[in-house]
C-alpha cells in the first residue's frame, strides 16, 4: 500500500490541497451508517473529490456540493438496493465505482449492467478492483500525471 504522505506529495504537485473537515467525515459516517476506511479519511485531508485521472469522483461532502457521495450512495441504495457497506465514489460512463467499507477488495469498478450484482459479487463482466482506497487513488494520480505529461 502506498504511503499517504507520498500520495499527498504527488497530489499537491498537481493541485492545491483541498481538505475535508473531520466533522464532515463524521457526518457522512452518521448519515450513511458506516465507518469510513482510515486511508480514505487521510486522503480526504488533501483531496475532496473532483476530476482526476479522467474520473470525476463525487465530492466528499454531505450537503452544499452536488453531486456528492452521500446523495449518490442514498440514491443507489434506493434504486438498486445497494448494501449499506458500500459508498458510491463515481459513475464514469456506463460504469460504477464503489467503495466497500468492510471488505477487500475495497474499491470495485464495475460495468453499469452489473451494479445490481455488487452485493453478492456475481458480475457478468470482470470488474477492476483495488484492495484499498489508497491504491485506487495512486492509480488516479498516475493517470493524471500521464495525462498532464502528454499535454
Amino acid at each position: 500500500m502506498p504511503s499517504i504522505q507520498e500520495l499527498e506529495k504527488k497530489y499537491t504537485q498537481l493541485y492545491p490541497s483541498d481538505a475535508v473537515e473531520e466533522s464532515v467525515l463524521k457526518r457522512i459516517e452518521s448519515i450513511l451508517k458506516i465507518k469510513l476506511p482510515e486511508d480514505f479519511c487521510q486522503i480526504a485531508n488533501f483531496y475532496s473529490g473532483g476530476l482526476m485521472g479522467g474520473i470525476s469522483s463525487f465530492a466528499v461532502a454531505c450537503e452544499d456540493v452536488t453531486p456528492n457521495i452521500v446523495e449518490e450512495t442514498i440514491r443507489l441504495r434506493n434504486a438498486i438496493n445497494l448494501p449499506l457497506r458500500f459508498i458510491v465514489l463515481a459513475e464514469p460512463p456506463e460504469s460504477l465505482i464503489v467503495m466497500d467499507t468492510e471488505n477487500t477488495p475495497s474499491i470495485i469498478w464495475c460495468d453499469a449492467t452489473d451494479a445490481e450484482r455488487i452485493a453478492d459479487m456475481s458480475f457478468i463482466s470482470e470488474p477492476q478492483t483495488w484492495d484499498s482506497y489508497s491504491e485506487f487513488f495512486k492509480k488516479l494520480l498516475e493517470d493524471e500525471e500521464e495525462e498532464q505529461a502528454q499535454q
Side-chain angles (χ1 to χ4, degrees):
M1 179 167 26
S3 89
I4 301 300
Q5 293 77 20
E6 290 171 21
L7 294 175
E8 182 175 12
K9 182 179 178 185
K10 287 178 102 174
Y11 178 79
T12 55
Q13 288 173 346
L14 298 170
Y15 300 106
S17 183
D18 186 21
V20 176
E21 293 183 20
E22 186 176 342
S23 62
V24 171
L25 296 174
K26 294 295 182 198
R27 185 151 159 67
I28 290 169
E29 289 178 331
S30 175
I31 292 169
L32 296 178
K33 297 178 179 22
I34 49 88
K35 175 75 175 122
L36 293 168
E38 185 62 30
D39 64 338
F40 180 86
C41 294
Q42 291 173 331
I43 290 170
N45 283 322
F46 57 89
Y47 173 70
S48 66
L51 184 61
M52 187 169 60
I55 303 297
S56 184
S57 295
F58 296 130
V60 180
C62 48
E63 50 199 31
D64 300 331
V65 182
T66 56
N68 64 59
I69 62 172
V70 171
E71 289 175 353
E72 295 303 314
T73 298
I74 291 170
R75 182 179 66 79
L76 284 178
R77 282 179 179 176
N78 292 329
I80 64 168
N81 293 318
L82 184 70
L84 293 179
R85 72 180 192 269
F86 290 98
I87 294 175
V88 178
L89 298 177
E91 287 187 79
E94 306 300 320
S95 62
L96 178 68
I97 302 173
V98 296
M99 178 170 58
D100 187 330
T101 61
E102 297 175 4
N103 301 305
T104 303
S106 179
I107 307 300
I108 302 162
W109 185 348
C110 67
D111 190 277
T113 60
D114 280 332
E116 293 182 14
R117 294 179 176 85
I118 290 173
D120 61 6
M121 304 288 274
S122 62
F123 303 106
I124 294 171
S125 299
E126 190 68 28
Q128 284 187 278
T129 61
W130 291 264
D131 286 343
S132 67
Y133 182 74
S134 56
E135 288 177 6
F136 173 68
F137 188 80
K138 179 180 184 236
K139 168 76 167 111
L140 291 179
L141 274 174
E142 289 168 350
D143 290 351
E144 184 68 19
E145 289 172 330
E146 187 176 310
E147 271 183 37
Q148 289 192 14
Q150 292 175 357
Q151 293 178 359

